Amino acid sequence: MTPRERVLAALRHQEVDEIPWIEGIIGNGIATAVCGQPIHVEWSVAPEGFPTMPGDRLAEEQKKVCRVLGTANLQFCAFAPVFCQRLRKADDSSPVLVGDGLVKSRQDFERLFRLPSPTDPRFIANARAFIAAKEDYCACACVRLGIGATLLTMGIEGFSYAMADEPQLILEIHEAYADWTAAVVPILEEIGFDVIWAFDDVAFNSGPVFNPTFYRKYILPKQKEVVSHFSKPLITHSDGNMTPLLDAWLELGQQAIHPIQPDVMDIYEVKRRYGHRVAIVGNIPMIDLVQGTPEQIEAMVRERIERLSPGGGYIISSSNSLTDDMKPENVLAMRDAIRKYGRCARPDTAF
């Protein structure tokens, strides 16, 4: 099977010849270390929300890493711009760290909030160049369904006040972002992207930013409308403890959830309760890839595969991304363990 075929089969709970490995972001530093050659991927997006790196180069640099690690996916960011403080430009071209949101009031919204056209020819040409260079890898269009961008644009404090004082402002900002994504995703699907991967962080380690009642009333209806425009498989991402929100979250009908943060969620319990409905993507702990040993990483990979792959619907991943502070030997141990144990999986066995 090709990497693309493995990912798509796993999302359908079908048999694969090897458990696929996908990542959200792989930092340039760790990529360079494991590949033994310079890797430069510009993960950032321009102020208008489009990737800053030419699409063909973006694909080519990521393919170098895929060939060494055996990862299956290439990432293309299609994020609408967020209106918040920029804290710094990362030296390794990873996404810019953001500070507090700038839209605190309706006046801010009317003064600052402008989104680019989803049909911008530069954006479409770049996406086409990316797809033309993707080969047999799974091309993921990275988007936000709306709530993640809303939180960044308003800031946690501003969003929290608005939940009590002016929920209509949240609704209008969220609707604007959601409508933008609903317009851009069909364009990307027509261009040839295989998977839509939505990054909307809505939880702390202690639990979701809002309770399920607020989510169901104010956020979920619009998000359901957005994903109704999608024809390709959808992976949804949120860090933090999503346990209280899982039942509502899965009403989106996504094909997979990521990453099931291991220090605050039990991936095996998630698989037991929801594995018949949705594929599971995760969750080798980032902290162990930074501080652990290759032997520990091998043991974790083996356990995840042996316990999560039966019944199908499992894709292995770190618990977020591969970062530059990780030990190269640990990342390579993850690769070797996936090759060693992933080919022995029996996804047709009932879990």
Side-chain angles (χ1 to χ4, degrees):
M1 301 178 76
T2 67
R4 173 183 177 274
E5 290 170 340
R6 291 188 187 104
V7 173
L8 296 180
L11 292 174
R12 294 190 296 263
H13 285 74
Q14 294 175 346
E15 185 171 348
V16 294
D17 60 346
E18 180 178 308
I19 299 299
W21 177 12
I22 66 175
E23 290 292 344
I25 289 176
I26 301 177
N28 288 330
I30 189 63
T32 296
V34 298
C35 291
Q37 60 176 311
I39 303 295
H40 180 75
V41 175
E42 293 180 8
W43 293 110
S44 57
V45 295
E48 63 269 23
F50 305 144
T52 56
M53 192 172 189
D56 53 349
R57 284 179 49 210
L58 182 62
E60 292 296 338
E61 289 296 296
Q62 291 183 70
K63 285 189 297 183
K64 294 177 185 178
V65 186
C66 290
R67 294 182 189 116
V68 172
L69 290 183
T71 44
N73 65 308
L74 307 177
Q75 303 287 84
F76 182 90
C77 293
F79 294 146
V82 293
F83 301 89
C84 54
Q85 298 171 5
R86 264 61 174 178
L87 297 185
R88 67 174 178 86
K89 180 68 170 66
D91 294 336
D92 63 353
S93 295
S94 60
V96 177
L97 297 177
V98 299
D100 194 24
L102 298 177
V103 178
K104 305 291 189 183
S105 65
R106 184 163 301 280
Q107 291 75 22
D108 293 336
F109 181 44
E110 294 171 352
R111 177 173 56 89
L112 295 174
F113 198 90
R114 301 289 184 275
L115 297 182
S117 169
T119 60
D120 187 299
R122 297 167 298 167
F123 171 65
I124 292 175
N126 214 25
R128 291 193 186 281
F130 180 88
I131 291 299
K134 81 180 188 73
E135 297 181 8
D136 290 328
Y137 294 101
C138 182
C140 297
C142 304
V143 302
R144 295 188 179 105
L145 297 182
I147 185 57
T150 302
L151 282 164
L152 290 170
T153 286
M154 299 187 75
I156 292 296
E157 184 177 280
F159 186 93
S160 300
Y161 279 119
M163 281 196 289
D165 299 335
E166 196 176 1
Q168 184 61 32
L169 179 60
I170 295 175
L171 277 174
E172 292 179 27
I173 297 172
H174 178 245
E175 183 175 276
Y177 277 124
D179 287 343
W180 190 89
T181 298
V184 79
V185 165
I187 294 170
L188 295 170
E189 291 179 333
E190 185 277 329
I191 288 171
F193 284 85
D194 302 302
V195 167
I196 310 303
W197 196 342
F199 291 83
D200 291 272
D201 283 315
V202 295
F204 307 112
N205 287 354
S206 57
V209 173
F210 32 68
N211 63 43
T213 300
F214 183 93
Y215 179 69
R216 287 184 185 278
K217 181 177 180 180
Y218 292 107
I219 306 302
L220 185 59
K222 188 63 181 182
Q223 295 206 322
K224 285 183 176 180
E225 180 186 323
V226 174
V227 302
S228 72
H229 293 268
F230 300 178
S231 64
K232 298 295 178 70
L234 171 65
I235 302 172
T236 55
H237 161 96
S238 180
D239 292 322
N241 184 3
M242 288 290 287
T243 303
L245 214 60
L246 273 176
D247 287 308
W249 198 29
L250 291 180
E251 290 183 28
L252 290 173
Q254 60 268 71
Q255 281 64 50
I257 54 176
H258 169 270
I260 305 100
Q261 187 174 319
D263 52 328
V264 293
M265 296 182 71
D266 183 346
I267 195 170
Y268 303 119
E269 178 64 12
V270 172
K271 173 74 172 184
R272 185 188 70 80
R273 293 184 59 192
Y274 302 101
H276 62 290
R277 295 173 53 186
V278 67
I280 306 299
V281 184
N283 67 349
I284 304 302
M286 295 177 69
I287 188 65
D288 293 292
L289 287 163
V290 173
Q291 298 180 357
T293 66
E295 293 76 19
Q296 291 170 327
I297 300 303
E298 178 180 355
M300 290 178 193
V301 169
R302 180 176 184 176
E303 180 182 323
R304 297 296 193 278
I305 290 174
E306 290 182 348
R307 295 184 62 181
L308 295 168
S309 64
Y314 178 56
I315 298 174
I316 199 164
S317 175
S318 71
S319 61
N320 183 287
S321 299
L322 300 184
T323 55
D324 292 346
D325 55 348
M326 291 176 177
K327 297 177 183 177
E329 59 266 31
N330 285 347
V331 175
L332 293 173
M334 185 172 172
R335 174 200 66 184
D336 295 343
I338 293 169
R339 291 175 177 173
K340 182 176 180 180
Y341 301 108
R343 291 173 180 165
C344 299
R346 296 291 182 265
D348 54 338
T349 305
F351 63 84

